[in-house]
Amino acid sequence: MPDLDPEDLDPAERDPAGRDEGGRPQTVLVPRDHDALPRRSSSWRAIRAWFAVPATAALPEAAAVQHLFTDPELHWAPGLRRGTLAVLPSPSAFTRALLGWEWSIDAADFSVSSAEPTGWSADETRAVEAWLRAAAAALEQQSDRIEDDVRRVVDDVAAGHDETRPAAAESARLAESARVGDSARLVDARLVEARLGTGVEGPAAGAAHPRVDVVLPASDDPGREVFVDAADGTELGERRTVAVDGEATAFRYTVADGVDDVTPRELARWHDQHLQRLLLADDARQAAVHVVAGIAPPASVGYGA
C-alpha cells in the first residue's frame, strides 16, 4: 500500500502498481481514514428549492399548533406494515410527540414522551395529535410526489442549477386528478420555498463524464460499488471495500478495463459527490415533509443565506 499523505494532491499517482500500458494509474488502495479527505471537499452552495403542494391539502390543524413549536423537526417513516410520524417541538426540548401505526393511519396510536414538562395543556395536546393525524394522511397521499420532488431537486442541482422549481405546468396546478362524481378535475397548487445547502457540484466544463452515478450491481456483493456514466450507462470503474474480520479497513478504486479518460482520483471524487447527493436528497425530503405537513422547512437544512 502506498504511503498516503493527506496533503498529497493525488495519492494514486504515487502508487507504482496498477498502471495501464500508458503509465496511467488504474487502481489505488485508500485506507478508510483517508477516504474522505478535506482536499476533496466541494464548495458549499446555497440552493432555493420550490415544492408544489395541493392547495386543497392545506392543513388548518397546522396553524393551531405553530405557536407551540420553535424550529420543530418532523420525522416521517412510512411503511406498509409499520409507520411513524414524530415531531420534536424544539431543538432544546427533550420532548417528542409520536404517531405510530400498523397497516392503517386511521388506527394510529398517539403518545407524548418528555424528560421535562411540555407545558402543553390538554387542549394543546389534542391539537398536536389532530395535526399529526392530518399530516400523516397528507404525507401518505403525497408520498409519490415527495419522491418526485426529491429526484427533481437532486437532478437540477447536479446539473448546476442553484434554483429548482417544478415544471412550468405544475406551477399553476398539480398534474393529478381527483374524482368528482363521474368527472375529473385538476387540483390547484401552491409553491413553497425552502433554502437548502449542499456540496453537490454542477458539471465541470468540458468534462468527459459530467455526471457519474454510483450503483450496487448485486445484492449479494454489498462491498462492490460501480461507477456509471449517467448519460449513456458506460461502466467507468468500481469501488470495493477491503475488510479485515468483517470491518472495513480500506477501499480499492479501480478504473474499468478499456477506459482511458478516468483516473482513480476521479473515482474517489465521484464517490464523494455520490454521498453529497444522498445528503441533499435527505435534506430535500425533510423539507418536503415539513411543507406538506403545513409547517416551515427546518432550519437544520436551511444552510443558504
Side-chain angles (χ1 to χ4, degrees):
M1 182 187 303
D3 177 22
L4 296 182
D5 183 344
E7 298 302 320
D8 191 344
L9 292 179
D10 191 349
E13 297 292 351
R14 299 180 61 184
D15 184 3
R19 294 176 180 270
D20 65 11
E21 294 179 356
R24 292 179 292 269
Q26 290 293 97
T27 185
V28 62
L29 189 67
V30 182
R32 179 179 177 181
D33 292 344
H34 289 258
D35 191 51
L37 297 175
R39 60 181 170 77
R40 292 207 308 255
S41 64
S42 307
S43 299
W44 206 243
R45 295 169 60 190
I47 304 299
R48 298 178 66 192
W50 296 83
F51 299 92
V53 182
T56 53
L59 300 181
E61 295 87 353
V65 298
Q66 292 277 13
H67 68 286
L68 302 176
F69 304 147
T70 303
D71 187 21
E73 287 192 13
L74 189 63
H75 297 278
W76 179 48
L80 175 61
R81 185 180 184 279
R82 174 72 180 174
T84 58
L85 180 62
V87 62
L88 308 179
S90 169
S92 60
F94 297 98
T95 300
R96 181 184 69 167
L98 173 67
L99 197 70
W101 62 89
E102 292 185 4
W103 304 113
S104 173
I105 292 175
D106 293 336
D109 294 323
F110 173 76
S111 63
V112 177
S113 59
S114 180
E116 56 190 13
T118 64
W120 296 344
S121 67
D123 287 343
E124 289 170 335
T125 301
R126 282 192 290 270
V128 171
E129 178 180 358
W131 167 63
L132 283 178
R133 291 186 183 279
L139 288 166
E140 182 181 52
Q141 182 182 23
Q142 295 297 313
S143 59
D144 289 343
R145 179 162 297 282
I146 289 173
E147 293 307 313
D148 288 344
D149 276 339
V150 170
R151 284 190 290 270
R152 183 251 307 169
V153 169
V154 173
D155 288 344
D156 283 355
V157 174
H161 305 299
D162 290 335
E163 182 170 356
T164 169
R165 291 174 176 264
E170 294 188 2
S171 296
R173 59 187 182 179
L174 291 177
E176 65 174 313
S177 61
R179 299 301 301 178
V180 181
D182 293 329
S183 62
R185 63 182 174 82
L186 290 174
V187 182
D188 289 339
R190 56 193 173 90
L191 289 180
V192 182
E193 179 189 8
R195 298 294 182 98
L196 309 176
T198 183
V200 172
E201 298 176 343
H209 307 283
R211 173 169 171 177
V212 175
D213 289 332
V214 179
V215 299
L216 295 174
S219 59
D220 59 350
D221 188 8
R224 179 173 182 257
E225 299 169 282
V226 174
F227 296 86
V228 177
D229 189 303
D232 58 17
T234 300
E235 185 173 321
L236 304 175
E238 70 171 21
R239 177 186 190 258
R240 186 174 287 278
T241 301
V242 178
V244 175
D245 295 330
E247 182 176 352
T249 59
F251 303 96
R252 177 176 283 110
Y253 294 90
T254 304
V255 177
D257 292 340
V259 175
D260 59 7
D261 58 356
V262 171
T263 68
R265 182 188 184 188
E266 287 178 301
L267 296 180
R269 186 171 185 83
W270 287 333
H271 195 271
D272 290 345
Q273 281 297 297
H274 166 66
L275 296 180
Q276 292 288 351
R277 290 196 296 270
L278 292 179
L279 292 173
L280 176 60
D282 284 344
D283 285 351
R285 185 175 294 105
Q286 182 77 339
V289 164
H290 277 230
V291 164
V292 170
I295 61 177
S300 59
V301 301
Y303 309 108

